Amino acid sequence: MKKDTPYRTIIIDDDELSRMILERHIKSTPSLELVQTFSSSVDGLAWLLKNDHIDVLFLDVEMPEMTGLELLRTLPHKPETILITSHKDFALQAFELQVADYLLKPVDFTRFTQAVLNTTKKLQPQTSAVQATNQPDELFVKVDNKIIKLNLNNICFIEARGDYVVINTDTKKHIVYTTMSAIDQKLPVDQFLRIHRSFIINLKKIELIEDDSVFMQEKYIPIGGSYQSKFYSRINKL
């Protein structure tokens, strides 16, 4: 179910150039309506405490007086939040605060659009539920001269190895001559996620997360730097 009106959005960012870029991106996005912009975290917090009808918050992390993370911890009712930062080191804290996504400065429009799509999906639970019911629960792959059926719930992770991939299931490994991109397109997006150029994982099989790696099947799998923000935002759904 699509929303008939744009999502009400505010910016809290003390970086003038960053604010200008965000304002331009928002104005170029029909699904968003910019309601307020603040250069002070304290002023932004005061406004949010009096106005709880905001859908999306673009929030700078590194601000004087009160950081973006401190502001989030203070808010009793949090809108879906996209953090804006100059550093990659806030991924774990972003996950702990259950933010929708986080963007690195300077924010380019392509990555901005991806973050907005990820965020607005969270604001449409009915649509997500319908999509989930239509997802397949099996995958047919060619192994040697046979086509075998794999139950998706039994797949733990998929690893790229040159011109083939290794599908690691609960009980065995299957070598399939295909590309990561090709197999990624066939997997349900609510269950599987590419977290590294060489790894796709089953989110349901994660045992723990440590030092930007996931642990499953007695193996630590690295979360690539360019995949971290999407990974931590998706983990919030589990």
Side-chain angles (χ1 to χ4, degrees):
M1 181 182 297
K2 292 186 178 180
K3 194 172 185 292
D4 294 330
T5 57
Y7 293 101
R8 295 172 61 82
T9 305
I10 74 165
I11 299 170
I12 303 177
D13 191 338
D14 74 330
D15 182 333
E16 183 177 1
L17 177 59
S18 177
R19 286 199 311 276
M20 291 174 59
I21 292 173
L22 288 172
E23 287 174 357
R24 184 168 67 245
H25 289 347
I26 291 171
K27 289 175 181 177
S28 300
T29 306
S31 62
L32 300 180
E33 175 193 3
L34 183 58
V35 177
Q36 292 283 345
T37 300
F38 296 94
S39 59
S40 163
S41 55
V42 173
D43 292 344
L45 174 62
W47 190 88
L48 280 171
L49 290 174
K50 297 178 181 178
N51 299 270
D52 60 357
H53 56 286
I54 291 300
D55 299 307
V56 182
L57 165 63
F58 288 89
L59 179 64
D60 190 11
V61 174
E62 304 99 338
M63 290 185 288
E65 297 178 302
M66 174 182 287
T67 69
L69 299 178
E70 291 170 339
L71 186 152
L72 271 186
R73 293 188 180 101
T74 304
L75 277 178
H77 303 290
K78 300 175 178 61
E80 292 293 344
T81 302
I82 299 175
L83 292 181
I84 313 298
T85 175
S86 301
H87 306 284
K88 296 181 180 180
D89 303 332
F90 293 103
L92 184 56
Q93 294 178 74
F95 159 64
E96 291 171 344
L97 289 168
Q98 298 187 338
V99 303
D101 209 332
Y102 78 100
L103 301 173
L104 293 176
K105 298 179 183 180
V107 178
D108 69 82
F109 188 68
T110 300
R111 182 65 184 89
F112 171 89
T113 301
Q114 182 184 43
V116 170
L117 290 174
N118 292 339
T119 303
T120 53
K121 283 180 182 178
K122 294 188 174 189
L123 294 167
Q124 301 175 33
Q126 292 181 347
T127 300
S128 299
V130 171
Q131 289 176 342
T133 61
N134 295 327
Q135 296 289 0
D137 58 5
E138 58 193 32
L139 176 69
F140 286 89
V141 295
K142 185 176 181 181
V143 178
D144 297 325
N145 293 320
K146 298 174 289 186
I147 296 178
I148 64 174
K149 180 175 72 174
L150 300 178
N151 186 315
L152 293 178
N153 291 323
N154 293 335
I155 297 176
C156 293
F157 65 91
I158 301 165
E159 181 178 2
R161 295 280 188 87
D163 59 350
Y164 64 92
V165 302
V166 180
I167 302 176
N168 295 264
T169 70
D170 291 331
T171 57
K172 63 187 302 184
K173 298 181 179 181
H174 300 281
I175 296 176
V176 181
Y177 285 88
T178 187
T179 64
M180 290 291 274
S181 296
I183 200 165
D184 194 15
Q185 293 175 5
K186 296 181 179 295
L187 296 170
V189 296
D190 65 319
Q191 185 175 353
F192 289 86
L193 182 66
R194 190 167 185 173
I195 64 167
H196 187 278
R197 61 181 298 184
S198 300
F199 291 99
I200 297 171
I201 66 167
N202 184 341
L203 295 170
K204 296 179 180 180
K205 297 289 186 178
I206 296 174
E207 297 178 40
L208 62 87
I209 303 167
E210 182 179 9
D211 296 329
D212 291 327
S213 296
V214 299
F215 184 75
M216 53 177 60
Q217 280 196 331
E218 300 184 351
K219 178 183 179 68
Y220 280 96
I221 299 174
I223 307 167
S226 61
Y227 297 87
Q228 288 182 10
S229 62
K230 186 173 183 179
F231 170 77
Y232 285 112
S233 67
R234 285 287 305 280
I235 285 297
N236 294 336
K237 297 181 178 180
L238 298 182

